[in-house]
Amino acid sequence: MNPFDLTGKVAFVTGAAYGIGYGIAKSFASAGATIVFNDLSQEKIDEALKSYKADGIDAHGYVCDVTNEEAVNATVAKITEEVGVIDILVNNAGIIKRVPMVEMSAADFRQVIDIDLNGPFIVSKAVIPHMIEKGHGKIINICSMMSELGRETVSAYAAAKGGLKMLTKNIASEYGEFNIQCNGLGPGYIATPQTAPLRELQEDGSRHPFDQFIIAKTPAARWGTPEDLQGPAIFLASDASNFVSFM
Ligand code: NAP
Ligand code: GCO
């Protein structure tokens, strides 16, 4: 028996048209899982389906905004009917706004909290009853170094990801008795569209100061890639982590 095998499992990775979500979904597929993802428009879904196909993955894409409770409930019901009960949920969809706090509007702050914290709450809430009924489930919340730290310009993101860490602990303790393991994954700094502005070259052609800082402070002396997350993601999605829950 391979405890990392995901054959027969249905994995729903939110916001997995590209970036970290796509990398995680790809790794789940390599371990045998059926991949389901959502994004905000049919155009993005179609584009992503082509990428999955090119990688040999027969994924299922749904248009759904994770902040819209009604749409999430309808999408989870559709997935359950069309693909099967979700065994693995990855709350990955997220945004960041890098603005000094005193210059940030309350509306922008709210939007970050809405997508990065209310989103995982809404999607988990829709999926958990099905997991309870099936007798098992895995929830992986994509947290951040900002779940632990603060830095200039990311107040809303740090507040949301700090909250997501606590939501993770709460789901783990509230639903652990139903054989649902909930864990957070804090990826470090990963090269994706979200972090692209931090790698933009300066006018004089030199590297962005934050880019230099990350390379100097990261033990591997480089930005991570979505593929770097495959080991921890498969571990947290598989039977290998059946007694691991982030409390
Ligand atoms: P990304 O490249 O910007 O991808 C984010 C994905 O989320 C996109 O597909 C986006 O779709 C989707 N999304 C945004 N809002 C959504 C909504 N309301 N409903 C559904 N989907 C939505 O980001 P990433 O770097 O891969 O990050 C993925 C997750 O990891 C985020 O939660 C992020 O905060 C977290 N994270 C990132 C890093 C990093 O260094 N990159 C590190 C730690 C944690 P659209 O294209 O349609 O907008
Ligand atoms: C930032 C970065 C981070 C990363 C990541 C760190 O501006 O500080 O975008 O927030 O995306 O979440 O783990």
Side-chain angles (χ1 to χ4, degrees):
M1 280 245 325
N2 172 4
F4 299 96
D5 186 23
L6 299 181
T7 304
K9 305 286 183 193
V10 174
F12 178 29
V13 187
T14 66
Y18 54 84
I20 288 177
Y22 187 88
I24 289 177
K26 212 165 95 172
S27 71
F28 287 172
S30 76
T34 300
I35 304 306
V36 184
F37 70 99
N38 70 309
D39 209 314
L40 294 168
S41 69
Q42 192 58 48
E43 206 183 339
K44 287 198 168 150
I45 296 281
D46 291 342
E47 216 174 294
L49 284 173
K50 277 191 212 147
S51 311
Y52 280 107
K53 206 167 195 90
D55 279 325
I57 300 164
D58 193 12
H60 304 258
Y62 294 84
V63 177
C64 175
D65 182 332
V66 296
T67 65
N68 181 335
E69 189 167 13
E70 214 176 298
V72 167
N73 289 341
T75 301
V76 168
K78 229 169 164 188
I79 295 169
T80 308
E81 194 189 317
E82 294 176 358
V83 189
V85 172
I86 295 163
D87 301 285
I88 302 157
L89 165 65
V90 182
N91 283 308
N92 166 79
I95 62 163
I96 192 167
K97 288 180 190 280
R98 298 184 186 91
V99 186
M101 197 186 94
V102 295
E103 292 167 25
M104 188 170 208
S105 68
D108 277 355
F109 191 94
R110 268 192 210 106
Q111 193 195 2
V112 175
I113 301 284
D114 205 22
I115 297 173
D116 293 3
L117 182 55
N118 289 343
F121 160 73
I122 289 168
V123 183
S124 302
K125 193 182 150 198
V127 169
I128 285 169
H130 299 280
M131 290 179 163
I132 292 176
E133 209 177 315
K134 197 166 176 185
H136 77 88
K138 300 277 184 181
I139 300 177
I140 304 170
N141 291 328
I142 305 302
C143 295
S144 164
M145 292 187 51
M146 298 303 124
S147 297
E148 307 290 338
L149 303 167
R151 84 168 186 85
E152 68 282 4
T153 75
V154 296
S155 56
Y157 186 80
K161 293 294 186 179
L164 184 59
K165 170 183 158 181
M166 293 312 299
L167 178 66
T168 305
K169 285 179 184 249
N170 212 86
I171 293 172
S173 68
E174 194 165 353
Y175 295 104
E177 65 174 300
F178 299 101
N179 195 23
I180 294 172
Q181 291 82 44
C182 184
N183 288 283
L185 191 54
Y189 279 84
I190 310 296
T192 67
Q194 190 196 78
T195 52
L198 302 173
R199 287 182 303 279
E200 265 169 21
L201 290 180
Q202 303 295 277
E203 269 176 22
D204 64 1
S206 64
R207 293 170 65 172
H208 193 295
F210 198 78
D211 183 9
Q212 297 182 30
F213 172 78
I214 290 305
I215 288 173
K217 294 291 181 189
T218 304
R222 64 170 175 83
W223 285 74
T225 66
E227 287 71 29
D228 284 323
L229 302 173
Q230 62 179 321
I234 291 175
F235 169 64
L236 293 176
S238 67
D239 286 349
S241 61
N242 279 352
F243 201 58
V244 179
S245 239
F246 184 54
M247 312 256 300

